[in-house]
Amino acid sequence: MPLRCVRGLSSSSGPRVCIVGGGPAGFYTAQQLLKVGNTAVDIYERLPVPFGLVRFGVAPDHPEVKNVINTFTQTGQHERCSFHGNVNVGKDVTIDELRQAYHAVVLSYGAEGNRSMGIPGEGLPGVFSAKDFVGWYNGLPSNKELHPDLSFETAVILGQGNVALDVARILLAPVEMLKETDITQNALEALAGSKVRRVLIVGRRGPLQIACTIKELREMVNLPNTRADMLPADFEGIAEALKDLPRPRKRLTELMMKAVKEGGDDKAEKCWGFRFFRSPVEVLAGADGKRATGIRLALNKLEGSGESARAEVTGQLEDVDCGLIISSIGYKSIPIDPAVPFDPRRAIVPNEMGRVQDTAGLYCSGWVKRGPTGVIATTMNDSFDTARVLIQDMEAGKLDLSVNKPGAQAITALLQTRGVRAVLFSQWEKINAAEEKRGKSLGKAREKLLDVDEMLKIAWS
Amino acid sequence: MAASAAVRSAVSLTQRFVRVSPDCSICPLYRLNACTGAIDGFTAPNRRLRTSIGVCQSADSSSPEEDERVVNVVFIDRSGQRIPVEARVGDNALHLAHKHGIELEGACEASLACSTCHVYVSSKHYEKLPEPEER
């Protein structure tokens, strides 16, 4: 680990770029910008810990996907990169202040909000957003008190993307599969005592519009001690449509058809299934009205075909008894600073190829730029695109690099006057070491710290 | 990113490509002492849930003659520059690229978990590959 003294005095004439958000978009954008000689990149992150959804979103039983952390760590340790955790941009420091201190600012803060179903009863106990449920088992500090009640037999998940399938899989996976992962201990214990035996994954449209990818579907099909419980009626006409499908969609659909046909082990204690052409219209409460005991679904028919097919109401309704309802219909970006243009309808920062509309020197990458869909590879390509555009602008003289910008030196001083202290990358590494050590004693990859104050104490010790 | 739209490979390499055999000695992570052992995940206990088509670490792997057979691979980068390299049957295309300083992202470090690195096989050669199996 190279000595990082006198950083503020070095490379006084190089471009200085600030990145808001320390997740995959932030790190991938930084990685590309650092390739331009003499460019200094500072990453600001609200939490004391970096890596965003790679840490808090990727399922615990997908540890290989988290290998990208090694790439991000190299970036974080780069001599021209500095990470500043525990800094809330928009609250501790404004975008305008950052734009004054840097030649360019890149917004990569992702989508921390949630699309709501907008139906009565959505606020009842027993109803969770997938974002919060995933945050709970992945140790996101703000979800540590979630305490989902897992004592009901049936869980209904609204949405059929990869996040929905992750939730279903974590609910039904044998505890043996999870106990050595980095799932939080309290989630592991809750799942060990779970009475959930049946998970329905509900989508508005049909099998040909399902948003999950084949890997996640395969994992459901291969789950031990579970069988697939699908409705053949949902698959009418699908076999005939197979031959005209593009290959990825065709393979996904074929695997689904196989699951419908074969079902699985009759002796299996647990089951899962897709339910298509259904939209949630109301969460039903029990007689005492105190918590969710079921969900009312409206049956749809499909107009059009392929990816652009639309669900139209038929007027028919169906009630499903369940005690756990998880809405997985999408994350949502929120505006963090009034000085930044924001499109509330699409919930993104309006931009042209990553250049924020009407705002020179301001860029965006990742979900806050394109919307909250896509896997790490998608965000990677997107971040590379934004970095390329920024570098083009640097070379075309669109950013005035002749002016010296103070960068982190000025911001750190400013934050100090506001009583805010950042967590540096080497200090995150202390948190990292502590989590790995705690995990070791539990036979797990790591035991995540759930409390921000605890993280700070270790970081600054 | 069509990593291997630019990889012209001998038929045998194409056919072997689906056999991902991690060769630690050529892996930059191993050489930089930064290996987390993630590649060892090929034999991890929960492998039955992995999507790895054709990850076969069969004991009766290819005969010595086949392993010594050189495959000529030409990487063509974004700028059109051709980089010819020598590979062996069974080599991992991503590690091969990294060994020769070719920039190809592999977020999950060749664990077949993320689709960051991927191959487009020309239809002519695709016909020669066996059908993928769901495993």
Side-chain angles (χ1 to χ4, degrees):
Chain A
M1 201 24 211
L3 265 187
R4 288 147 68 94
C5 50
V6 300
R7 282 206 76 252
L9 302 178
S10 65
S11 63
S12 54
S13 53
R16 290 189 182 275
V17 182
C18 161
I19 297 184
V20 178
F27 274 89
Y28 270 131
T29 307
Q31 182 199 56
Q32 293 305 103
L33 292 172
L34 286 166
K35 292 189 177 169
V36 177
N38 223 21
T39 303
V41 179
D42 296 334
I43 301 174
Y44 292 86
E45 160 61 44
R46 182 174 54 195
L47 285 170
V49 299
F51 311 137
L53 282 178
V54 176
R55 176 180 164 102
F56 296 115
V58 174
D61 59 342
H62 287 167
E64 314 84 11
V65 177
K66 301 189 200 197
N67 285 348
V68 71
I69 284 175
N70 296 332
T71 307
F72 295 161
T73 296
Q74 281 183 16
T75 298
Q77 291 173 342
H78 192 292
E79 57 168 2
R80 284 185 279 109
C81 180
S82 67
F83 172 79
H84 304 261
N86 194 45
V87 178
N88 188 331
V89 174
K91 184 169 146 283
D92 297 335
V93 59
T94 66
I95 294 290
D96 279 340
E97 285 166 341
L98 290 173
R99 288 177 67 210
Q100 279 171 44
Y102 291 92
H103 294 106
V105 174
V106 184
L107 304 172
S108 309
Y109 64 80
E112 68 191 76
N114 186 55
R115 269 185 80 201
S116 74
M117 293 190 278
I119 60 176
E122 188 165 6
L124 283 169
V127 183
F128 301 97
S129 69
K131 179 183 80 70
D132 286 341
F133 194 79
V134 171
W136 169 71
Y137 64 64
N138 273 338
L140 187 61
S142 51
N143 293 132
K144 67 178 186 280
E145 305 294 336
L146 204 75
H147 301 301
D149 185 343
L150 304 178
S151 62
F152 299 88
E153 195 201 343
T154 301
V156 168
I157 302 173
L158 289 320
Q160 296 174 326
N162 284 341
V163 178
L165 263 64
D166 275 356
V167 170
R169 192 179 70 253
I170 296 295
L171 280 173
L172 293 177
V175 167
E176 294 73 55
M177 258 173 58
L178 300 173
K179 68 180 204 286
E180 289 175 8
T181 68
D182 63 5
I183 193 170
T184 61
Q185 195 63 18
N186 53 351
L188 188 64
E189 285 165 9
L191 289 165
S194 164
K195 301 274 190 301
V196 176
R197 296 287 176 268
R198 183 167 167 250
V199 177
L200 298 178
I201 308 169
V202 179
R204 287 175 303 132
R205 299 185 295 172
L208 297 181
Q209 287 77 37
I210 202 170
C212 65
T213 50
I214 194 169
K215 174 182 173 215
E216 281 71 17
L217 174 60
R218 201 182 279 123
E219 288 173 332
M220 289 308 297
V221 168
N222 291 340
L223 265 181
N225 200 19
T226 55
R227 62 180 172 81
D229 161 21
M230 314 272 205
L231 301 177
D234 281 353
F235 292 85
E236 263 167 44
I238 299 299
E240 293 73 32
L242 275 176
K243 60 178 171 14
D244 299 319
L245 296 173
R247 196 169 155 261
R249 177 61 70 185
K250 178 160 174 261
R251 286 188 56 203
L252 175 61
T253 312
E254 280 172 344
L255 183 57
M256 237 193 302
M257 303 290 287
K258 190 166 157 219
V260 177
K261 204 168 77 144
E262 292 175 10
D265 183 6
D266 281 334
K267 295 193 299 295
E269 290 172 355
K270 298 183 273 189
C271 71
W272 69 281
F274 293 126
R275 291 292 179 271
F276 293 102
F277 311 108
R278 286 154 168 84
S279 298
V281 293
E282 188 180 345
V283 175
L284 306 170
D288 61 5
K290 288 224 175 85
R291 69 153 359 258
T293 55
I295 188 158
R296 178 158 294 161
L297 305 170
L299 270 52
N300 301 323
K301 65 180 189 316
L302 223 53
E303 290 301 319
S305 65
E307 309 295 327
S308 57
R310 280 178 354 266
E312 303 269 333
V313 291
T314 59
Q316 281 181 282
L317 298 171
E318 182 184 276
D319 288 354
V320 178
D321 291 334
C322 55
L324 179 64
I325 294 169
I326 297 180
S327 143
S328 182
I329 60 175
Y331 288 60
K332 196 160 86 165
S333 294
I334 60 170
I336 61 169
D337 189 305
V340 176
F342 191 80
D343 178 344
R345 191 181 59 84
R346 295 176 58 196
I348 57 165
V349 171
N351 68 93
E352 259 304 314
M353 306 208 308
R355 295 182 178 100
V356 175
Q357 209 169 69
D358 304 326
T359 322
L362 192 60
Y363 300 80
C364 53
S365 69
W367 281 6
V368 79
K369 168 186 170 194
R370 290 172 321 110
T373 57
V375 294
I376 288 177
T378 330
T379 292
M380 178 189 83
N381 285 321
D382 176 88
S383 302
F384 287 5
D385 285 345
T386 291
R388 192 173 312 127
V389 158
L390 204 166
I391 291 168
Q392 268 172 28
D393 286 356
M394 283 203 279
E395 290 168 352
K398 294 210 184 120
L399 302 169
D400 190 1
L401 299 177
S402 63
V403 180
N404 263 357
K405 292 283 192 175
Q409 227 186 346
I411 300 298
T412 303
L414 186 58
L415 289 171
Q416 215 168 30
T417 67
R418 294 169 184 172
V420 177
R421 181 181 169 190
V423 171
L424 303 178
F425 203 79
S426 54
Q427 292 167 335
W428 139 248
E429 284 170 331
K430 287 199 225 169
I431 299 173
N432 186 38
E435 290 184 341
E436 285 176 341
K437 186 161 166 226
R438 285 165 38 134
K440 203 149 171 215
S441 61
L442 292 164
K444 293 163 76 178
R446 75 171 58 233
E447 185 55 44
K448 290 176 186 166
L449 289 165
L450 302 182
D451 191 80
V452 169
D453 289 331
E454 258 194 86
M455 292 177 182
L456 294 176
K457 190 154 155 251
I458 290 177
W460 296 330
S461 62
Chain B
M1 204 189 278
S4 282
V7 175
R8 309 288 165 80
S9 50
V11 167
S12 57
L13 181 62
T14 309
Q15 283 177 334
R16 289 285 186 269
F17 180 74
V18 293
R19 257 183 57 182
V20 179
S21 40
D23 180 355
C24 291
S25 63
I26 61 163
C27 174
L29 285 177
Y30 177 86
R31 285 175 12 199
L32 291 168
N33 239 0
C35 173
T36 57
I39 310 298
D40 292 336
F42 285 140
T43 51
N46 62 345
R47 198 188 143 204
R48 59 174 177 241
L49 297 176
R50 302 282 301 282
T51 67
S52 35
I53 301 166
V55 172
C56 32
Q57 296 279 302
S58 48
D60 57 327
S61 53
S62 48
S63 61
E65 303 92 67
E66 278 189 290
D67 272 348
E68 282 161 17
R69 215 164 64 188
V70 163
V71 180
N72 289 308
V73 178
V74 178
F75 286 98
I76 303 175
D77 73 12
R78 190 185 283 279
S79 71
Q81 186 192 12
R82 297 174 67 91
I83 304 135
V85 310
E86 218 173 67
R88 289 196 313 270
V89 170
D91 275 353
N92 176 300
L94 180 66
H95 293 154
L96 183 68
H98 288 170
K99 181 178 168 187
H100 292 276
I102 290 151
E103 282 181 15
L104 272 182
E105 289 295 329
C108 72
E109 297 172 353
S111 308
L112 296 176
C114 79
S115 81
T116 313
C117 74
H118 48 274
V119 202
Y120 292 85
V121 182
S122 69
S123 47
K124 185 171 70 156
H125 286 103
Y126 183 73
E127 313 278 298
K128 301 183 182 183
L129 291 173
E131 270 298 300
E133 295 162 31
E134 288 299 336
R135 268 194 263 149

